[in-house]
Amino acid sequence: MPELPEVETVRRGLQPVMEGARFVRVEARRPDLRRPLPKDFVKRLEGRSVTGLGRRAKYLLADVSSGDVLLMHLGMSGSFRVAEDKGEKTPGDLHHPRSDDRTHDHIVFHMSSGARISFNDPRRFGLMLLVPRAELADHPLMKEIGPEPLGNEFDATLLAQACRGKKTSLKAALSDQKVVAGLGNIYVCEALHRARLSPRRMASTIASRTGAPNERAERLVDAIKAVLGDAIHAGGSSLRDHRRTDGELGYFQHHFRVYDREGAKCVTPGCKGTVRRIVQGGRSTFFCPVCQT
DNA sequence: CCGCGGGCCTGAGAGC
DNA sequence: TGCTCTCAGGCCCGCG
Protein backbone atom coordinates (compact mmCIF):
# COMPACT_ATOMS: atom_id res chain seq x y z
CA MET A 1 0.00 0.00 0.00
CA PRO A 2 1.91 2.94 1.26
CA GLU A 3 4.61 4.89 -0.44
CA LEU A 4 6.58 7.78 0.96
CA PRO A 5 3.67 10.25 1.26
CA GLU A 6 1.47 7.75 3.06
CA VAL A 7 4.27 6.70 5.42
CA GLU A 8 5.08 10.34 6.14
CA THR A 9 1.40 10.99 6.85
CA VAL A 10 1.39 8.06 9.27
CA ARG A 11 4.55 9.38 10.93
CA ARG A 12 2.95 12.75 11.50
CA GLY A 13 -0.11 11.07 12.96
CA LEU A 14 1.88 8.92 15.35
CA GLN A 15 4.42 11.49 16.44
CA PRO A 16 2.20 13.39 18.91
CA VAL A 17 1.13 10.23 20.73
CA MET A 18 4.43 8.35 20.60
CA GLU A 19 7.20 10.87 21.07
CA GLY A 20 7.94 11.33 24.74
CA ALA A 21 5.50 8.57 25.68
CA ARG A 22 6.24 5.22 27.33
CA PHE A 23 5.13 1.77 26.18
CA VAL A 24 2.90 0.82 29.11
CA ARG A 25 1.85 -2.45 27.54
CA VAL A 26 2.60 -4.09 24.20
CA GLU A 27 0.44 -6.80 22.67
CA ALA A 28 2.03 -9.00 20.02
CA ARG A 29 -1.11 -10.75 18.86
CA ARG A 30 0.39 -12.22 15.68
CA PRO A 31 4.15 -12.46 15.51
CA ASP A 32 4.32 -13.88 11.98
CA LEU A 33 4.65 -10.81 9.83
CA ARG A 34 6.92 -10.77 6.77
CA ARG A 35 9.58 -11.71 9.27
CA PRO A 36 8.81 -13.13 12.68
CA LEU A 37 8.90 -10.56 15.48
CA PRO A 38 11.97 -10.80 17.71
CA LYS A 39 11.14 -13.22 20.53
CA ASP A 40 11.85 -10.59 23.16
CA PHE A 41 9.93 -7.90 21.27
CA VAL A 42 7.46 -7.11 24.06
CA LYS A 43 10.09 -7.19 26.82
CA ARG A 44 12.41 -4.84 24.97
CA LEU A 45 9.66 -2.24 24.60
CA GLU A 46 7.52 -2.33 27.73
CA GLY A 47 8.56 0.32 30.24
CA ARG A 48 10.72 2.12 27.68
CA SER A 49 9.84 5.39 26.03
CA VAL A 50 10.03 6.77 22.52
CA THR A 51 12.46 9.65 22.18
CA GLY A 52 11.84 10.38 18.51
CA LEU A 53 9.90 9.15 15.48
CA GLY A 54 11.51 9.45 12.09
CA ARG A 55 11.19 8.05 8.61
CA ARG A 56 13.67 6.67 6.10
CA ALA A 57 12.28 5.69 2.68
CA LYS A 58 9.11 3.71 3.53
CA TYR A 59 10.33 2.75 7.00
CA LEU A 60 9.18 4.33 10.24
CA LEU A 61 11.96 4.53 12.81
CA ALA A 62 11.15 5.01 16.48
CA ASP A 63 14.06 5.76 18.78
CA VAL A 64 13.53 3.85 22.01
CA SER A 65 15.14 4.79 25.31
CA SER A 66 16.69 1.31 25.56
CA GLY A 67 19.05 2.20 22.73
CA ASP A 68 17.06 0.20 20.18
CA VAL A 69 15.41 1.57 17.11
CA LEU A 70 11.96 0.16 16.42
CA LEU A 71 11.84 -0.28 12.67
CA MET A 72 8.37 -0.54 11.13
CA HIS A 73 7.28 -1.15 7.56
CA LEU A 74 3.70 -1.22 6.29
CA GLY A 75 4.19 -3.60 3.36
CA MET A 76 1.22 -3.52 0.99
CA SER A 77 -1.70 -3.48 3.41
CA GLY A 78 -0.40 -2.20 6.74
CA SER A 79 -1.94 0.71 8.60
CA PHE A 80 -1.85 2.28 12.04
CA ARG A 81 -4.85 3.50 13.98
CA VAL A 82 -4.74 5.66 17.05
CA ALA A 83 -7.57 5.52 19.57
CA GLU A 84 -8.10 6.57 23.14
CA ASP A 85 -6.90 3.74 25.37
CA LYS A 86 -9.61 2.42 27.61
CA GLY A 87 -7.30 -0.20 29.05
CA GLU A 88 -9.14 -3.35 28.07
CA LYS A 89 -7.54 -6.19 26.19
CA THR A 90 -8.07 -6.15 22.48
CA PRO A 91 -11.13 -8.26 21.81
CA GLY A 92 -10.41 -11.20 19.57
CA ASP A 93 -13.85 -12.07 18.38
CA LEU A 94 -16.41 -9.36 17.90
CA HIS A 95 -20.05 -9.84 17.17
CA HIS A 96 -19.92 -7.51 14.17
CA PRO A 97 -16.51 -8.08 12.64
CA ARG A 98 -17.28 -5.96 9.61
CA SER A 99 -18.05 -2.81 11.51
CA ASP A 100 -15.10 -3.03 13.91
CA ASP A 101 -12.67 -5.57 12.57
CA ARG A 102 -9.77 -6.37 14.86
CA THR A 103 -8.87 -9.58 13.06
CA HIS A 104 -5.73 -8.11 11.56
CA ASP A 105 -4.64 -5.91 14.45
CA HIS A 106 -1.36 -7.77 14.89
CA ILE A 107 0.46 -5.41 17.22
CA VAL A 108 -1.03 -3.04 19.79
CA PHE A 109 0.92 -0.38 21.71
CA HIS A 110 -0.66 1.03 24.86
CA MET A 111 1.18 4.30 25.43
CA SER A 112 1.50 6.45 28.54
CA SER A 113 0.09 9.29 26.41
CA GLY A 114 -3.26 7.50 26.70
CA ALA A 115 -3.17 6.37 23.11
CA ARG A 116 -3.88 2.87 21.92
CA ILE A 117 -1.92 2.40 18.70
CA SER A 118 -2.83 -0.64 16.66
CA PHE A 119 -0.99 -1.97 13.66
CA ASN A 120 -3.36 -3.65 11.22
CA ASP A 121 -2.02 -5.64 8.27
CA PRO A 122 -4.24 -8.19 6.50
CA ARG A 123 -1.60 -9.47 4.12
CA ARG A 124 1.20 -9.42 6.67
CA PHE A 125 3.85 -8.10 4.26
CA GLY A 126 4.65 -5.54 6.95
CA LEU A 127 7.51 -5.74 9.37
CA MET A 128 8.62 -4.75 12.86
CA LEU A 129 12.18 -5.17 14.04
CA LEU A 130 14.35 -3.93 16.87
CA VAL A 131 17.82 -2.86 15.87
CA PRO A 132 20.44 -1.40 18.20
CA ARG A 133 20.88 2.25 17.30
CA ALA A 134 24.57 1.87 16.51
CA GLU A 135 23.85 -0.89 13.99
CA LEU A 136 21.04 0.85 12.13
CA ALA A 137 23.07 2.50 9.39
CA ASP A 138 24.74 -0.78 8.50
CA HIS A 139 21.59 -2.84 8.75
CA PRO A 140 20.88 -4.77 5.52
CA LEU A 141 17.44 -3.16 5.21
CA MET A 142 18.88 0.36 5.50
CA LYS A 143 22.34 0.47 4.06
CA GLU A 144 21.48 0.17 0.35
CA ILE A 145 18.73 2.77 0.35
CA GLY A 146 19.25 5.72 -1.95
CA PRO A 147 18.74 9.44 -1.29
CA GLU A 148 15.60 10.89 0.24
CA PRO A 149 13.83 12.60 -2.66
CA LEU A 150 12.66 15.55 -0.57
CA GLY A 151 16.11 16.23 0.84
CA ASN A 152 18.25 19.08 -0.50
CA GLU A 153 20.96 16.68 -1.59
CA PHE A 154 18.60 14.98 -4.06
CA ASP A 155 19.03 16.76 -7.36
CA ALA A 156 19.42 16.11 -11.07
CA THR A 157 23.12 15.43 -10.69
CA LEU A 158 22.52 12.71 -8.12
CA LEU A 159 19.66 11.08 -10.03
CA ALA A 160 21.57 11.15 -13.32
CA GLN A 161 24.56 9.60 -11.58
CA ALA A 162 22.38 6.76 -10.26
CA CYS A 163 20.86 6.14 -13.69
CA ARG A 164 24.13 6.37 -15.58
CA GLY A 165 24.62 3.37 -17.84
CA LYS A 166 21.36 1.73 -16.72
CA LYS A 167 19.73 -0.14 -19.57
CA THR A 168 16.64 -0.78 -17.51
CA SER A 169 13.48 1.31 -17.93
CA LEU A 170 12.88 4.56 -16.11
CA LYS A 171 9.92 2.89 -14.43
CA ALA A 172 12.12 0.16 -13.01
CA ALA A 173 14.90 2.56 -12.07
CA LEU A 174 12.64 4.89 -10.10
CA SER A 175 10.99 1.91 -8.40
CA ASP A 176 14.41 0.77 -7.23
CA GLN A 177 14.92 1.99 -3.65
CA LYS A 178 18.67 2.10 -4.24
CA VAL A 179 18.22 4.80 -6.91
CA VAL A 180 15.83 6.97 -4.93
CA ALA A 181 14.01 6.21 -1.68
CA GLY A 182 10.30 5.98 -1.13
CA LEU A 183 8.71 5.86 -4.57
CA GLY A 184 6.32 3.04 -5.45
CA ASN A 185 4.00 2.17 -8.27
CA ILE A 186 1.68 5.17 -7.94
CA TYR A 187 4.18 7.97 -7.55
CA VAL A 188 6.56 6.62 -10.17
CA CYS A 189 3.73 6.73 -12.69
CA GLU A 190 2.64 10.18 -11.54
CA ALA A 191 6.15 11.64 -11.53
CA LEU A 192 6.91 10.32 -15.02
CA HIS A 193 3.72 11.85 -16.35
CA ARG A 194 4.47 15.23 -14.79
CA ALA A 195 7.95 15.06 -16.31
CA ARG A 196 6.49 13.98 -19.68
CA LEU A 197 8.87 11.04 -19.81
CA SER A 198 7.93 7.58 -21.00
CA PRO A 199 8.13 4.84 -18.37
CA ARG A 200 9.69 2.68 -21.10
CA ARG A 201 12.54 5.06 -21.79
CA MET A 202 15.95 3.67 -20.96
CA ALA A 203 17.05 5.07 -17.61
CA SER A 204 20.50 6.03 -18.87
CA THR A 205 18.94 8.57 -21.24
CA ILE A 206 18.53 11.14 -18.47
CA ALA A 207 22.32 11.38 -18.23
CA SER A 208 25.16 12.02 -20.61
CA ARG A 209 27.80 9.32 -21.08
CA THR A 210 29.82 10.88 -18.31
CA GLY A 211 26.83 10.80 -15.98
CA ALA A 212 26.02 14.49 -16.13
CA PRO A 213 22.31 15.33 -15.93
CA ASN A 214 20.42 16.52 -18.97
CA GLU A 215 17.20 18.48 -19.15
CA ARG A 216 15.12 15.31 -18.68
CA ALA A 217 16.83 14.65 -15.38
CA GLU A 218 16.01 18.17 -14.23
CA ARG A 219 12.36 17.74 -15.18
CA LEU A 220 12.18 14.38 -13.48
CA VAL A 221 13.64 15.58 -10.19
CA ASP A 222 11.29 18.56 -10.18
CA ALA A 223 8.34 16.24 -10.90
CA ILE A 224 9.29 13.79 -8.15
CA LYS A 225 9.62 16.53 -5.55
CA ALA A 226 6.40 18.19 -6.66
CA VAL A 227 4.23 15.09 -6.67
CA LEU A 228 5.50 13.89 -3.29
CA GLY A 229 5.07 17.33 -1.78
CA ASP A 230 1.54 17.64 -3.13
CA ALA A 231 0.65 14.16 -1.91
CA ILE A 232 1.95 14.76 1.62
CA HIS A 233 0.05 18.01 1.70
CA ALA A 234 -3.12 16.09 0.81
CA GLY A 235 -2.54 13.51 3.55
CA GLY A 236 -1.47 10.79 1.12
CA SER A 237 -3.70 8.63 -1.04
CA SER A 238 -6.51 6.48 0.27
CA LEU A 239 -7.15 3.48 -1.94
CA ARG A 240 -9.26 0.62 -0.67
CA ASP A 241 -9.16 0.76 3.10
CA HIS A 242 -6.04 2.74 3.74
CA ARG A 243 -6.60 5.55 6.22
CA ARG A 244 -4.64 8.07 8.15
CA THR A 245 -3.94 7.22 11.79
CA ASP A 246 -7.02 9.18 12.86
CA GLY A 247 -9.21 7.16 10.52
CA GLU A 248 -9.64 10.07 8.11
CA LEU A 249 -9.05 9.57 4.41
CA GLY A 250 -6.16 11.12 2.53
CA TYR A 251 -7.39 12.64 -0.68
CA PHE A 252 -4.47 12.71 -3.09
CA GLN A 253 -6.12 9.89 -5.10
CA HIS A 254 -8.40 12.58 -6.52
CA HIS A 255 -5.32 14.25 -7.98
CA PHE A 256 -3.97 11.24 -9.83
CA ARG A 257 -3.23 12.21 -13.42
CA VAL A 258 -2.59 8.71 -14.77
CA TYR A 259 -2.65 6.08 -12.01
CA ASP A 260 -5.71 3.81 -12.37
CA ARG A 261 -7.09 6.09 -15.09
CA GLU A 262 -6.81 3.79 -18.09
CA GLY A 263 -8.88 5.09 -20.99
CA ALA A 264 -9.22 8.60 -19.55
CA LYS A 265 -8.17 11.71 -21.47
CA CYS A 266 -4.68 12.93 -20.74
CA VAL A 267 -4.78 16.04 -18.56
CA THR A 268 -1.58 17.57 -19.93
CA PRO A 269 -2.62 20.93 -21.43
CA GLY A 270 -2.97 20.64 -25.18
CA CYS A 271 -2.45 16.86 -25.20
CA LYS A 272 -5.09 14.80 -26.97
CA GLY A 273 -3.76 11.47 -25.72
CA THR A 274 -5.50 8.75 -23.73
CA VAL A 275 -4.08 7.11 -20.62
CA ARG A 276 -2.87 3.60 -21.29
CA ARG A 277 -2.08 0.68 -18.98
CA ILE A 278 0.85 -1.60 -19.68
CA VAL A 279 2.64 -4.17 -17.55
CA GLN A 280 6.29 -3.71 -16.59
CA GLY A 281 8.02 -6.10 -14.25
CA GLY A 282 4.68 -7.69 -13.48
CA ARG A 283 3.10 -4.43 -12.28
CA SER A 284 0.70 -2.02 -13.94
CA THR A 285 2.12 1.15 -15.42
CA PHE A 286 -0.19 4.01 -16.40
CA PHE A 287 0.99 6.66 -18.81
CA CYS A 288 0.09 8.82 -21.79
CA PRO A 289 1.85 7.54 -24.92
CA VAL A 290 1.34 10.91 -26.65
CA CYS A 291 2.96 13.44 -24.31
CA GLN A 292 5.25 11.08 -22.41
CA THR A 293 8.27 10.41 -24.56
C1' DC B 1 25.81 -7.19 -13.28
C1' DC B 2 20.65 -7.44 -15.35
C1' DG B 3 15.69 -8.45 -16.17
C1' DC B 4 12.09 -11.49 -15.34
C1' DG B 5 8.99 -14.49 -12.99
C1' DG B 6 7.37 -16.24 -8.90
C1' DG B 7 6.42 -16.16 -4.10
C1' DC B 8 4.88 -14.29 0.23
C1' DC B 9 -0.55 -13.31 2.18
C1' DT B 10 -5.54 -11.83 2.33
C1' DG B 11 -9.52 -9.53 0.46
C1' DA B 12 -12.24 -7.06 -3.00
C1' DG B 13 -14.45 -7.06 -7.18
C1' DA B 14 -15.79 -8.91 -11.67
C1' DG B 15 -17.80 -12.43 -14.34
C1' DC B 16 -20.32 -16.58 -14.74
C1' DT C 1 -25.77 -17.06 -3.47
C1' DG C 2 -21.24 -18.85 -4.45
C1' DC C 3 -17.59 -20.16 -7.13
C1' DT C 4 -13.27 -18.88 -9.74
C1' DC C 5 -10.29 -15.67 -11.47
C1' DT C 6 -7.57 -11.44 -11.36
C1' DC C 7 -5.64 -7.80 -9.17
C1' DA C 8 -3.69 -4.88 -5.32
C1' DG C 9 0.28 1.01 -2.85
C1' DG C 10 6.22 -3.89 -1.37
C1' DC C 11 9.95 -6.53 -1.33
C1' DC C 12 12.99 -10.70 -1.76
C1' DC C 13 14.93 -14.68 -4.02
C1' DG C 14 16.46 -17.55 -7.63
C1' DC C 15 16.83 -18.36 -12.51
C1' DG C 16 18.93 -17.80 -17.01
Side-chain angles (χ1 to χ4, degrees):
Chain A
M1 142 224 160
E3 306 179 33
L4 188 153
E6 290 73 42
V7 179
E8 179 58 24
T9 299
V10 168
R11 191 193 69 77
R12 293 177 185 189
L14 293 180
Q15 192 168 33
V17 292
M18 285 193 90
E19 259 185 28
R22 188 167 26 84
F23 293 99
V24 175
R25 192 159 53 87
V26 172
E27 297 179 65
R29 307 179 70 224
R30 257 204 98 141
D32 54 334
L33 303 182
R34 189 170 105 215
R35 294 184 179 188
L37 287 183
K39 306 138 294 289
D40 50 358
F41 182 76
V42 170
K43 265 205 162 90
R44 278 163 78 178
L45 291 177
E46 282 184 345
R48 315 287 190 170
S49 53
V50 175
T51 56
L53 184 64
R55 178 190 57 74
R56 175 79 174 107
K58 300 172 193 171
Y59 292 93
L60 289 167
L61 303 170
D63 272 300
V64 181
S65 56
S66 57
D68 282 327
V69 173
L70 170 60
L71 184 154
M72 300 173 276
H73 194 284
L74 302 176
M76 286 282 263
S77 61
S79 63
F80 282 93
R81 200 62 59 88
V82 176
E84 191 192 342
D85 200 345
K86 299 189 183 78
E88 78 273 22
K89 282 264 182 187
T90 303
D93 199 7
L94 293 184
H95 189 58
H96 296 294
R98 286 300 295 246
S99 60
D100 194 8
D101 194 355
R102 300 260 171 271
T103 308
H104 300 294
D105 279 359
H106 305 314
I107 316 274
V108 184
F109 300 137
H110 301 266
M111 306 302 295
S112 62
S113 57
R116 174 189 185 283
I117 301 170
S118 48
F119 175 65
N120 185 285
D121 186 8
R123 294 175 73 179
R124 304 203 313 283
F125 290 167
L127 179 68
M128 284 206 195
L129 288 181
L130 287 166
V131 179
R133 181 108 200 83
E135 297 171 21
L136 186 68
D138 287 323
H139 193 279
L141 292 176
M142 293 283 110
K143 70 171 178 220
E144 308 264 355
I145 297 177
E148 282 292 323
L150 294 177
N152 290 330
E153 70 285 357
F154 180 68
D155 60 12
T157 302
L158 205 55
L159 184 61
Q161 200 59 243
C163 289
R164 179 186 180 184
K166 271 196 181 292
K167 296 219 197 291
T168 185
S169 67
L170 267 183
K171 166 79 185 293
L174 295 183
S175 304
D176 183 349
Q177 303 298 296
K178 296 194 271 295
V179 171
V180 55
L183 299 184
N185 210 31
I186 291 178
Y187 295 103
V188 167
C189 293
E190 293 296 313
L192 286 169
H193 181 263
R194 289 187 186 216
R196 304 190 316 280
L197 293 172
S198 169
R200 299 190 272 209
R201 168 181 285 280
M202 200 184 294
S204 61
T205 62
I206 67 163
S208 73
R209 263 164 293 278
T210 63
N214 59 23
E215 191 254 342
R216 294 184 199 106
E218 306 278 359
R219 265 175 17 222
L220 189 49
V221 163
D222 289 348
I224 290 168
K225 287 179 184 276
V227 71
L228 295 179
D230 290 352
I232 291 171
H233 183 71
S237 305
S238 291
L239 301 188
R240 297 166 198 84
D241 62 346
H242 179 248
R243 302 287 177 106
R244 298 157 39 136
T245 57
D246 56 9
E248 295 299 307
L249 297 168
Y251 52 89
F252 191 73
Q253 66 278 10
H254 304 304
H255 300 282
F256 290 166
R257 298 184 188 182
V258 285
Y259 185 80
D260 205 20
R261 297 191 70 239
E262 184 181 19
K265 264 204 63 189
C266 178
V267 297
T268 298
C271 181
K272 297 263 197 294
T274 299
V275 177
R276 276 234 294 145
R277 174 186 176 272
I278 60 173
V279 175
Q280 290 179 291
R283 324 280 310 201
S284 292
T285 299
F286 299 90
F287 75 114
C288 171
V290 175
C291 67
Q292 289 182 253
T293 57

